[in-house]
């Protein structure tokens, strides 16, 4: 068995769409990034890469390569999943925590689970997504950024 841990943070800015867990969420700001900035899928991708010992998404999708500009994070996760399969691992479960002051994501969690489960070919029962705030502290607490943590368990 292998465990992987992933973390990602992006600044919130006006003029961008907000994507979380592969779901476009109506909000006044979006996440700034070389890709679509989806902190949930980035943290999850890094957790999977860590579990299989294949570095991080920055190594596979460098932010100075024009071909990855504005890439959908779903494509990143799909690429990483192929690496997991190539190493002959299966995903047992994953646990994700979004850290953000706004927006409320409870009504989007099931759609996020459906997206993630579809890409990773696992049951939604093996995917947990939760959210917390930063209680007004720091850049996340001031609504200037969002972050996510992800933990995965893989098995041969």
């Amino acid at each position: 068995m292998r465990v992987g841990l992933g973390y990602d943070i992006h600044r919130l800015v006006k003029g961008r769409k907000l994507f979380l867990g592969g779901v476009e969420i109506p909000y006044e700001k979006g996440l700034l990034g070389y890709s679509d900035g989806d902190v949930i899928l980035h943290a999850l991708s890094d957790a999977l890469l860590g579990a299989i010992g294949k570095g991080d998404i920055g190594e596979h999708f460098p932010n100075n390569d024009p071909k990855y500009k504005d890439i959908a994070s779903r494509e990143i996760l799909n690429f990483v999943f192929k690496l997991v399969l190539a190493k002959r691992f299966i995903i047992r479960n994953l646990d994700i925590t979004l850290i953000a002051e706004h927006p409320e994501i409870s009504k989007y969690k099931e759609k996020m689970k459906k997206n993630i489960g579809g890409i990773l070919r696992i049951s939604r029962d093996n995917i947990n997504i939760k959210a917390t705030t930063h209680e007004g502290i720091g850049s996340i607490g001031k609504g200037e950024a969002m972050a996510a943590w992800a933990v995965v368990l893989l098995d041969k």
Side-chain angles (χ1 to χ4, degrees), residues 9-49:
I9 185 169
H10 284 279
R11 182 182 316 274
L12 281 161
V13 296
K14 291 189 182 219
R16 288 201 38 121
K17 294 179 179 181
L18 177 62
F19 290 93
L20 294 170
V23 177
E24 185 178 340
I25 296 176
Y27 191 57
E28 63 198 36
K29 297 178 183 176
L31 293 163
L32 183 62
Y34 201 67
S35 67
D36 62 18
D38 188 329
V39 292
I40 288 176
L41 296 188
H42 290 185
L44 179 54
S45 295
D46 271 346
L48 289 165
L49 287 167

Side-chain angles (χ1 to χ4, degrees), residues 3-4 14 21 27 29 38 44 53 57 68 74 79-80 84 87 92 98 115 129 138 148 153:
V3 174
K14 291 189 182 219
Y27 191 57
K29 297 178 183 176
D38 188 329
L44 179 54
I57 59 174
Y68 300 125
R74 294 171 58 97
F79 171 85
V80 170
V84 170
K87 288 280 204 171
R92 289 293 178 201
L98 174 71
N115 285 342
I129 299 173
L153 177 64

Side-chain angles (χ1 to χ4, degrees), residues 49-109:
L49 287 167
I52 63 171
K54 286 290 189 180
D56 60 52
I57 59 174
E59 294 173 39
H60 298 276
F61 298 89
N63 64 6
N64 59 0
D65 189 333
K67 71 181 173 186
Y68 300 125
K69 179 74 175 129
D70 296 322
I71 188 173
S73 296
R74 294 171 58 97
E75 291 181 45
I76 293 171
L77 184 59
N78 189 52
F79 171 85
V80 170
F81 180 58
K82 289 176 183 174
L83 295 178
V84 170
L85 291 177
K87 288 280 204 171
R88 303 175 73 130
F89 282 101
I90 57 172
I91 301 168
R92 289 293 178 201
N93 75 301
L94 54 95
D95 187 29
I96 300 164
T97 302
L98 174 71
I99 307 120
E101 296 302 304
H102 301 287
E104 170 63 44
I105 66 156
S106 59
K107 65 183 178 182
Y108 301 102
K109 285 183 185 180

